[in-house]
Amino acid sequence: LSPGGTNERAAMIELLLVGIGTGNPDHLTLQAIKALNGADLILIPRKGAAKADLAELRRTICADVLTNPMVRIADFDLPVRDAANPDYRRGVDDWHDAIAGVWKDTILAEIGQSGRVALLVWGDPSLYDSTLRIAGRVGESLPLRLTVIPGITSLQALTAAHAMPINQIG
């Protein structure tokens, strides 16, 4: 209870890491579509002119599945890792810190300290991706609840497309 005797919820961001598989809109799960439509804000990273098609594909996915007109979309420029840094690990840590800072600043500028924010992540956010580590950094400076929406992995898509089982008997 707050000092006034009311149940006020603390300001918090729910960060939805939404797996989008290979980027084929047909591979989105129903859970992913519901999460995107339940978001207040969807963040789309821009990775420079050479990779503009990645941001455009995310925008196409949103156009295909969003039915909630209240969902806002905001672009942000993704920092670039300093490939010249001789200490690879330190360079990646610095890069992840910079990305976390941009996420935080964009979230605060767009919706403040409360709301649901979605990021579309290739594949499954819990597998081979730095997104969870970056989200952890954001959570160090912003009240955050993290939700991971799994995506179809390329392994799943390939084995299904070729009607091949992943395992064998015995």
Side-chain angles (χ1 to χ4, degrees):
L1 292 179
S2 69
T6 62
N7 278 328
E8 293 180 22
R9 279 185 36 198
M12 179 172 287
I13 296 294
E14 181 178 7
L15 181 58
L16 308 165
L17 302 180
V18 180
I20 60 170
T22 61
N24 180 341
D26 291 339
H27 289 175
L28 287 180
T29 65
L30 185 55
Q31 184 183 21
I33 293 168
K34 286 179 180 178
L36 293 173
N37 278 288
D40 299 304
L41 176 68
I42 296 174
L43 296 178
I44 300 200
R46 290 185 300 238
K47 297 182 178 187
K51 295 184 179 183
D53 57 330
L54 298 177
E56 191 54 39
L57 182 54
R58 284 179 168 101
R59 285 189 166 283
T60 298
I61 288 170
C62 289
D64 287 349
V65 304
L66 287 178
T67 57
N68 179 353
M70 300 305 291
V71 178
R72 295 189 355 232
I73 297 175
D75 294 342
F76 68 94
D77 292 320
L78 193 69
V80 177
R81 183 177 65 83
D82 178 7
N85 186 334
D87 183 345
Y88 175 78
R89 180 58 195 224
R90 184 72 235 153
V92 170
D93 284 340
D94 291 345
W95 179 44
H96 288 176
D97 287 342
I99 294 170
V102 171
W103 285 12
K104 176 188 169 193
D105 292 345
T106 305
I107 290 167
L108 290 173
E110 293 291 332
I111 64 169
Q113 294 193 6
S114 183
R116 298 181 84 200
V117 178
L119 276 160
L120 287 72
V121 180
W122 303 113
D124 183 314
S126 63
L127 301 173
Y128 192 69
D129 194 271
S130 298
T131 307
L132 283 169
R133 287 186 286 279
I134 296 166
R137 285 173 162 85
V138 174
E140 292 172 4
S141 61
L142 190 66
L144 189 72
R145 183 174 67 230
L146 185 61
T147 301
V148 176
I149 311 297
I152 293 176
T153 65
S154 57
L155 178 62
Q156 292 168 300
L158 285 169
T159 57
H162 296 285
M164 297 172 54
I166 292 177
N167 64 352
Q168 296 179 352
I169 297 173

